[in-house]
Structures are given as C-alpha cells and as structure tokens.
C-alpha cells in the first residue's frame, strides 16, 4: 500500500508541475513577443509610412520615394544635415583624441585620488541630459556675457551660442564615452608587449606608435563610432546650447513635428535610424572582436 | 675581472613594503649559462628585470661589460629578453617580430631580411616568416621569441622561465636545444627558473635564491653535493635531514651524535662548537645498503636499521630505514642486478647502512 501511495503521489505532482511549466513557458513567450512589438512596431510603422504615397499619415496609399526626393530639395533639411555632420565629425575627432589620452592616463598612471577621477569620468554618462543642457547653457551665457561686456563686443563680433558651442558640448559628453570604451581595450592589453618592444630597442614613443596604438585601435575606432552616433542624434543637450542659424537635424525634426507630422519627417527619421544603427553595430562588432 | 659580463653590486629593490631583492651581488662570466633558481617570490625575476632595465634598484649598481647601466632604460642596453608569455606582437608576422629589433637599429632592409631568415633557420623555423604568431603552436611561438631575442646578437640573453608554458615532453627536449644553441652562439645566458632539474641540466653555474637573498652560487655539482644550507639542500633534489648534536669539530670533519646511540664522523665546512645542535645532510642515493655488517675501509662504520617501507620504482628501489632512536632515513638503491637480494627485503627485516665519509655533511645554519 505504502509503495503504491509513494509512487502515485510524485506522479501527480509531476503532472501538475509540467502543466504549470507549460503555461509559464507560453506566458513568457507571449510576453517576449509583446515586448518586441512594443519596442519595434512604432519604428516599423514610421519606416513603412516614409514610403507611403499620401500626405495623410493614416492610411497606406501605395509606394513612393517622393518624400526622400523632397528632402533633397529642402534647403532647411540640407543645411541642418550639413551642420549635424560638421558638429559630429569635429566633436568625434576631438573627443576621440582627448578620450583616448584620458583612458591611457587612467589605466597606466598612479596618481592621488585616481579612484575619484575614475568615478567622475563615469558621471557624465549617467547625468540626466536636461541637467547637462541647463548647466552648459548657464555656463556659456555667463562666460559670453562676461567676455562681451569686458571687451565691449556687440552685434556680429559678440560671442554667442552656435555651432561652436554645440561642438564643444558634444566633445564634453563624448570624452566620457570614448574613454570608457578605450579603457576596456587597454585592460586586455599585455604590458609585456611594451616591455618586449623596449627590450628590442624601441623608445617610449616608438613603442606607443608601433605596438600600443595599433593594438588598441579597434577600441579607439569603436569609441569614435559611438561618439559619432551620439553626436548625430543628440537633441536635448543640443537644444539648450544652440543659437540662431545653428540648427542640427534633430532640432529641425523637432521644429517640424510641432507643426505637423509629415511624411518627410518619417523619411528623415528613417535615414537617421539607418545611419545610427550601422554605426552602433560597427562599434559593437569592433569591441567584441578582440 | 675582464671576463665578467654582468655585474650586480649590492642590489636592493623594494616594492612598497616588500623587499623583493635584498643586497644581492653577482658576477656573471662571459659565455656562461647562469641560472637564477628559487621558489616563486624569491626575487629571481625582479633581478632579471633589473638587468634588462624594466625595474630600477633603489640601492646598488649594475654593470654590463664594465659600463654602469643601473639607470639606463631597456632600449639603451645591449641585452635581450625571452619573456615567459613570449610577448610576441600579435599584429605582426613572425618575420616582422624577429626583424623588429634590427629595424629599431635602422639596419638596411636587405640585411634585416637576411638575418631574420638565418635566425629562423637557426631555431628550426624556416618558411614560417609569413605566419602570424597566433597561428603557431606554443613550442613554435617559444622559438620565435628566442629568435627575436638572439637576432640582435646581444651581450647577454635573459630568459624568464621560457619553458614554463610548454608541456613536459617539449620542455625536456627544449632544454637540450637551448643548451646547444647557447654553445653555438657563445652568448652569455641568464636563465630564471623555479625548476631545479632545469637549472641542474643546463647551467654552468646556479645562484639559488630565497626571500630576496642569494644563498649559494656554484656549479650544479657544488650546489647539489655541497649545499650551503638547509634551504638549498632541501630545494635541490631529495635529501635526508637528520638532527644531531656536535661532539667535536675541526673545520673539516666533525663527530656528531644522532639520538643517544649513533656516533658518526661527517664532513663539515664551517667550524661548529661542541654540544651545538646541527643537522646531518645526506642524499638518499649516496647511502649503500647491506645485508650484513662489515667494513671495506672506504666507508663509515655500518649503521644498523630496520626496513620500515620500500617502494620499487624500476630503475631503483626507495627504502625507508628506521635507525636507533626513531631516526628515519630514505635510501635509494639502484636496481643494477637481476635477483638482487636487497630488493627482496621485507618490512621489519634488519639492514646495515654505509656511505663515503664525505657524503654526509654537518650543517649548523
């Protein structure tokens, strides 16, 4: 009797367990599908409607490339695209140089309060953009007011916000991102390689140029790609430090959306999405391939 | 002292609170194979890194070919290093790796190509120049590291445990190759290892180190047969340490008492005071086993004992023999003859031990 019972009991519980597991699995699968829909459906709709042959964004009327064509003839779109590229390229080059040097200094040298600097480097990454934007706006206006009144600068000769302030701002937040990425590639770097180069007659500079730099180059390029992408689509911080005539693409898009969501917006958003995706993907691949 | 190629004079190196190398002096002779031997953390690698120029000593001077180089950076010293992890440049081919040092010397490209080719042939890696280091086996990478270090024909070649990462068979084969290569090149080798067998088989002289000190410098035979102290005797090979009390000592031989009954005459390097405690050191293979007592004149008085344990290992048999006063002694008896009656001995049977007078030594430190 007892053996029958003890055989029976686990069997029922096993059946219950398996039923529960099956339900749980289904629920989790469903949850995953819904999550991905929630994440990507709006983007998908945006991309699809950028090819929609209708001014009204509500209904599918047929395929067209008209909206992409009209982007190419829009003076404001072209000029803001040019501004965006100028800012992105300039700020990426400067931030990559400074960020790489910061990363090397942090990784190689022992100096007082190194841990505190270490923490300070990460803070710009987690600071709310609105805080960064407001603080930089205040900083620039205070500085420019002081300079302009000290040197009696007015009109065109006065310092004011514009592409240069945007570029400086993008450099500022990108240094942190670049140095974090470069540091991770320096962590895997074997110091004995530098010892070996010096042992064979290379001085410090030749060692850096011939051994260290080529080996951390994937990390530097990954950092640069990330910086370029972040600069390309930054809106919040840029909005605070921009000035007359210095409109970037995200700001142009925001200005147009306030009037109405037109198919051109969908088209420009699709292009930005594709460019950003390519750059982030390339950055990820470079970071993984060590 | 014209034949001294590397000289270390009272070198001391401290890392934070840790004294890595403590007042070390060495004279390494032109063309010799010199090993720094010791357990990990004994300061041997730090000593090598100071000769290479990767570390600077706080106190002391380093000379290479008579010139003081203590504070010169590595790229201004005519020494080259084979690193433990090989440190091959992963983004360069084998030929570019080997040619790097010559390129730094700004030699003409034709000469570089020729010397790289010759050196790769010397380390038995011809036709490998175009490969990347990552496409080579561990043993091949080791040879590339060696080629890269010898191609500049340095005054001294420094080797930091170069065989440690290889498997046993390859390691043993490489010992002979390294020794052969050193013979061919005539270059001074300074070799760091924790493997006493490696040091014994390859070196002309060995410096045994522990806790930042050099305990003994000598040929492998000197270090093995005349170990300076307890640590050296223990670190190199297998040894019996038998506690004793000194009865008398004249600086060459000493009479000691082991337990309460066994009175022995042993060799003695230093003077020891009567009644001082000491240790008698004797290697297991230097003890002869006998079934019966008897004296052939050359050896010490026969010491009786009881077989405590025995292990047959093929080439020899390892006995543990218990002497009077619970003193245990390990004996390695070579299995030279078939049907040796000693090998048929069983636990608890009586035996007699003897050895050459000078084989047992008194150590008081």
């Amino acid at each position: 009797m007892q053996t029958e019972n003890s055989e029976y009991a686990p069997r029922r519980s096993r059946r219950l367990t398996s039923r529960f597991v099956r339900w749980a699995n289904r629920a989790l699968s469903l949850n995953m599908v819904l999550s991905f829909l929630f994440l990507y459906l709006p983007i998908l709709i945006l991309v699809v409607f950028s090819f929609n042959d209708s001014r009204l964004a509500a209904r599918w009327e047929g395929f067209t490339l008209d909206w992409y064509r009209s982007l190419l003839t829009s003076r404001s779109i072209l000029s803001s695209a040019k501004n965006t590229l100028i800012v992105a390229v300039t700020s990426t080059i400067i931030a990559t140089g400074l960020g790489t040097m910061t990363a090397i200094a942090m990784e190689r040298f022992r100096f007082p309060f190194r841990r505190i600097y270490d923490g300070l480097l990460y803070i710009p990454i987690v600071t709310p953009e609105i805080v960064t934007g407001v603080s930089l706006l205040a900083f620039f206006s205070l500085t420019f007011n002081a300079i302009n009144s000290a040197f009696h600068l007015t009109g065109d000769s006065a310092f004011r916000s514009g592409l240069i302030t945007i570029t400086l701002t993008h450099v500022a937040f990108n240094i942190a991102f670049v140095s974090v990425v470069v540091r991770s590639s320096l962590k895997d770097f074997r110091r004995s390689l530098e010892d070996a180069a010096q042992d064979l007659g290379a001085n410090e500079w030749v060692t850096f140029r011939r051994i260290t730099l080529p080996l951390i180059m994937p990390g530097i390029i990954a950092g640069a790609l990330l910086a370029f992408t972040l600069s390309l689509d930054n809106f919040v911080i840029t909005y605070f430090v921009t000035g007359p005539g210095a409109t970037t693409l995200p700001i142009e898009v925001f200005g147009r959306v306030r009037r109405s969501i037109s198919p051109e917006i969908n088209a420009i958003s699709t292009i930005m999405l594709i460019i950003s995706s390519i750059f982030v993907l390339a950055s990820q691949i470079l970071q993984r391939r060590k | 002292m014209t034949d001294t190629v590397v000289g270390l004079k009272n070198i001391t190196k401290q890392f934070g609170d840790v004294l890595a190398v403590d007042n070390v002096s060495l004279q390494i002779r032109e063309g010799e194979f010199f090993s720094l031997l010791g357990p990990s953390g004994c300061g041997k690698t730090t000593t090598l890194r100071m000769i290479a120029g990767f570390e600077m000593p706080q106190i002391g001077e380093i000379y290479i070919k008579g010139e003081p180089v203590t504070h010169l950076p590595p790229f201004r010293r005519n020494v080259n290093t084979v690193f433990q992890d090989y440190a091959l440049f992963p983004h360069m081919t084998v030929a570019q790796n080997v040619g790097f040092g010559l390129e730094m010397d700004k030699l003409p490209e034709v000469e570089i190509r020729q010397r790289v080719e010759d050196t790769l042939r010397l380390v038995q890696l011809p036709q490998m120049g175009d490969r990347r280091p990552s496409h080579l086996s561990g043993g091949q990478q080791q040879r590339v590291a060696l080629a890269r270090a010898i191609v500049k024909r340095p005054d001294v070649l420094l080797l930091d445990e170069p065989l440690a990462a290889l498997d046993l068979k390859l390691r043993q084969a490489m010992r002979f190759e390294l020794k052969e290569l050193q013979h061919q090149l005539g270059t001074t080798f300074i070799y760091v290892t924790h493997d006493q067998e490696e040091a014994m088989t390859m070196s002309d002289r060995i410096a045994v180190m522990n806790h930042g000190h050099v305990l003994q410098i000598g040929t492998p035979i000197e270090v093995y047969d005349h170990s300076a102290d307890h640590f050296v005797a223990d670190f190199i090979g297998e040894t019996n340490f038998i506690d004793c009390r000194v009865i008398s000592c004249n600086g060459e031989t000493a009479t000691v008492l082991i337990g309460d009954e066994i009175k022995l005459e042993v060799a003695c390097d230093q003077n020891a005071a009567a009644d001082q405690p000491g240790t008698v050191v004797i290697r297991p293979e230097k003890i002869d086993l006998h079934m019966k007592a008897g004296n052939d004149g050359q050896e010490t008085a026969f010491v009786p004992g009881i077989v405590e344990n025995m292990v047959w290992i093929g080439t020899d048999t390892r006995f543990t023999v218990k002497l009077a006063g619970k003193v245990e002694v390990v004996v390695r008896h070579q299995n030279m003859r078939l049907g040796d009656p000693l090998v048929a001995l069983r636990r608890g049977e009586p035996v007699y031990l003897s050895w050459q007078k000078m084989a047992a030594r008194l150590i008081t430190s």
Side-chain angles (χ1 to χ4, degrees):
Chain A
M1 275 302 275
Q2 260 191 340
T3 49
E4 267 181 38
N5 257 336
S6 60
E7 259 178 19
Y8 183 65
R11 206 182 296 158
R12 190 166 69 173
S13 78
R14 204 181 303 141
R15 201 180 298 153
L16 274 174
T17 313
S18 72
R19 193 182 295 164
F20 173 76
V21 166
R22 214 178 308 137
W23 271 104
N25 280 344
R26 269 185 212 156
L28 282 173
S29 309
L30 184 68
N31 174 59
M32 198 188 80
V33 170
L34 287 175
S35 300
F36 275 92
L37 275 180
F38 184 69
L39 283 171
Y40 286 103
L41 196 59
I43 296 175
L44 190 69
I45 289 171
L46 177 136
V47 173
V48 167
F49 275 82
S50 73
F51 299 105
N52 189 13
D53 194 4
S54 162
R55 265 250 149 240
L56 301 165
R59 225 174 54 223
W60 182 254
E61 297 283 351
F63 182 84
T64 182
L65 288 172
D66 282 355
W67 312 121
Y68 289 89
R69 251 174 240 131
S70 86
L71 285 181
L72 290 174
T73 55
S74 160
R75 193 173 287 271
S76 61
I77 292 283
L78 286 180
S79 95
S80 58
K82 194 178 112 197
N83 285 342
T84 305
L85 278 179
I86 290 171
V87 170
V89 170
T90 319
S91 69
T92 298
I93 290 170
I94 299 171
T96 304
L98 293 175
T100 301
M101 289 194 272
T102 310
I104 290 170
M106 289 287 201
E107 200 60 41
R108 288 296 160 80
F109 301 129
R110 299 281 167 269
F111 45 87
F113 310 114
R114 189 172 153 272
R115 282 176 155 275
I116 293 174
Y117 283 111
D118 210 9
L120 286 176
L121 194 61
Y122 284 84
I123 285 177
I125 293 174
V126 293
T127 312
E129 291 202 336
I130 193 114
V131 176
T132 313
V134 170
S135 67
L136 284 164
L137 173 65
F139 171 76
F140 284 131
S141 74
L142 273 172
T143 318
F144 290 165
N145 277 342
I147 295 173
N148 290 340
S149 62
F151 297 97
H152 307 290
L153 301 173
T154 51
D156 277 351
S157 58
F159 282 97
R160 59 167 179 269
S161 292
L163 279 189
I164 291 176
T165 49
I166 297 177
T167 308
L168 285 175
T169 308
H170 287 199
V171 168
F173 69 72
N174 271 333
I175 286 176
F177 286 98
V178 171
S179 60
V180 167
V181 174
V182 174
R183 275 188 78 173
S184 77
S185 71
L186 275 169
K187 281 222 163 69
D188 299 336
F189 186 85
R190 278 182 297 150
R191 291 299 294 276
S192 63
L193 295 178
E194 290 176 346
D195 283 349
Q198 295 208 8
D199 189 69
L200 293 165
N203 62 29
E204 289 92 343
W205 168 243
V206 174
T207 301
F208 178 73
R209 198 168 48 82
R210 294 286 308 273
I211 308 297
T212 317
L213 197 60
L215 288 173
I216 64 168
M217 199 39 104
I220 296 174
I221 295 173
L225 290 172
L226 185 65
F228 189 80
T229 314
L230 292 172
S231 168
L232 213 58
D233 68 2
N234 184 276
F235 171 73
V236 178
I237 298 174
T238 312
Y239 189 73
F240 281 92
V241 297
T242 186
T247 308
T248 61
L249 264 183
I251 290 174
E252 172 71 20
V253 169
F254 180 73
R256 285 175 171 237
V257 168
R258 289 219 292 198
R259 277 171 267 143
S260 68
I261 299 182
S262 67
E264 285 105 335
I265 301 281
N266 291 343
I268 187 88
S269 305
T270 304
I271 292 171
M272 288 176 71
L273 174 74
I274 290 167
I275 293 174
S276 300
S277 307
I278 289 170
F279 275 67
V280 170
L281 203 68
S283 170
Q284 289 289 317
I285 290 169
L286 278 171
Q287 280 187 72
R288 210 161 299 165
R289 206 190 57 189
K290 272 166 184 168
Chain B
M1 276 294 169
T2 45
D3 69 338
T4 296
V5 64
V6 174
L8 273 69
K9 217 167 139 192
N10 306 105
I11 292 293
T12 295
K13 174 71 184 175
Q14 221 169 339
F15 293 110
D17 296 337
V18 184
L19 197 57
V21 174
D22 187 4
N23 196 22
V24 164
S25 296
L26 292 172
Q27 303 276 327
I28 293 149
R29 297 172 196 148
E30 182 88 57
E32 77 175 331
F33 196 122
F34 190 92
S35 290
L36 293 167
L37 173 67
S40 61
C42 72
K44 58 191 192 296
T45 296
T46 306
T47 306
L48 192 82
R49 288 178 63 83
M50 285 192 286
I51 300 171
F54 302 128
E55 311 283 353
M56 306 282 164
Q58 275 101 0
I59 306 170
E61 285 291 336
I62 298 173
Y63 300 89
I64 295 174
K65 291 220 151 175
E67 300 290 320
V69 297
T70 318
H71 297 288
L72 284 185
F75 49 88
R76 295 202 196 290
R77 300 182 187 202
N78 194 17
V79 297
N80 288 121
T81 308
V82 178
F83 292 85
Q84 191 174 2
D85 66 350
Y86 313 143
L88 299 177
F89 308 130
H91 58 303
M92 298 183 190
T93 64
V94 167
Q96 285 168 336
N97 264 281
V98 177
F100 187 84
L102 302 175
E103 202 188 319
M104 291 301 112
D105 287 349
K106 305 210 163 54
L107 292 183
E109 212 169 300
V110 189
E111 193 188 338
I112 294 179
R113 206 172 316 134
Q114 190 56 50
R115 274 172 72 173
V116 166
E117 205 177 293
D118 292 346
T119 312
L120 282 176
R121 198 171 310 121
L122 188 65
V123 298
Q124 294 163 41
L125 280 183
Q127 324 292 331
M128 289 284 193
D130 296 332
R131 305 235 191 138
R132 291 277 163 145
S134 56
H135 294 155
L136 301 181
S137 70
Q140 289 171 326
Q141 291 183 21
Q142 211 273 329
R143 286 157 194 267
V144 176
L146 200 58
R148 189 178 65 176
I150 61 175
V151 76
K152 290 188 77 172
R153 298 168 193 155
D155 294 334
V156 184
L157 188 71
L158 308 175
L159 302 103
D160 184 10
E161 308 226 10
L163 306 183
L166 303 178
D167 60 61
L168 184 68
K169 261 226 159 91
L170 197 52
R171 203 153 66 214
Q172 286 172 340
M174 280 307 288
R175 279 181 203 164
F176 293 101
E177 273 190 44
L178 270 180
K179 183 75 190 156
E180 184 53 35
L181 185 71
Q182 196 254 347
H183 183 71
Q184 274 183 47
L185 295 170
T187 308
T188 311
F189 277 33
I190 303 180
Y191 190 96
V192 160
T193 183
H194 66 271
D195 184 335
Q196 49 104 6
E197 209 179 299
E198 226 169 79
M200 301 282 266
T201 50
M202 290 193 287
S203 315
D204 296 318
R205 287 196 305 152
I206 300 173
V208 184
M209 293 185 72
N210 194 31
H211 297 309
H213 296 278
V214 171
L215 303 176
Q216 187 173 9
I217 303 173
T219 65
I221 294 172
E222 282 167 357
V223 172
Y224 186 82
D225 284 342
H226 298 278
S227 304
D229 67 4
H230 193 289
F231 177 86
V232 176
D234 196 22
F235 191 75
I236 292 174
E238 198 184 7
T239 308
N240 288 299
F241 293 104
I242 306 162
D243 291 335
C244 68
R245 191 156 283 281
V246 179
I247 296 173
S248 67
C249 175
N250 64 8
E252 269 178 35
T253 56
T255 310
V256 298
L257 188 67
I258 295 169
D260 298 324
E261 300 169 32
I262 310 166
K263 206 174 186 183
L264 285 178
E265 204 174 306
V266 295
C268 172
D269 294 337
Q270 317 110 310
N271 244 320
D275 214 32
Q276 189 184 348
T279 309
V280 172
V281 179
I282 183 161
R283 301 280 180 187
E285 77 280 3
K286 297 222 163 43
I287 305 177
D288 285 330
L289 268 186
H290 308 273
M291 308 287 281
K292 293 197 226 50
N295 201 333
D296 61 6
Q298 290 234 326
E299 311 219 328
T300 54
F302 282 31
V303 180
I306 304 278
V307 175
E308 179 81 2
N309 198 356
M310 55 177 293
V311 183
W312 189 80
I313 322 175
T315 54
D316 46 34
T317 307
R318 189 174 182 279
F319 290 88
T320 310
V321 176
K322 195 180 229 172
L323 311 181
K326 296 195 173 161
V327 177
E328 277 187 7
V329 176
V330 174
V331 180
R332 284 186 96 105
H333 172 74
Q334 221 188 340
N335 297 335
M336 284 196 349
R337 289 174 215 291
L338 295 171
D340 187 344
L342 285 166
V343 178
L345 277 171
R346 289 288 161 259
R347 240 176 240 221
E349 293 193 72
V351 284
Y352 295 88
L353 311 185
S354 73
W355 51 82
Q356 283 180 299
K357 268 179 193 160
M358 299 309 278
R361 293 173 54 248
L362 172 69
I363 289 179
T364 47
S365 56

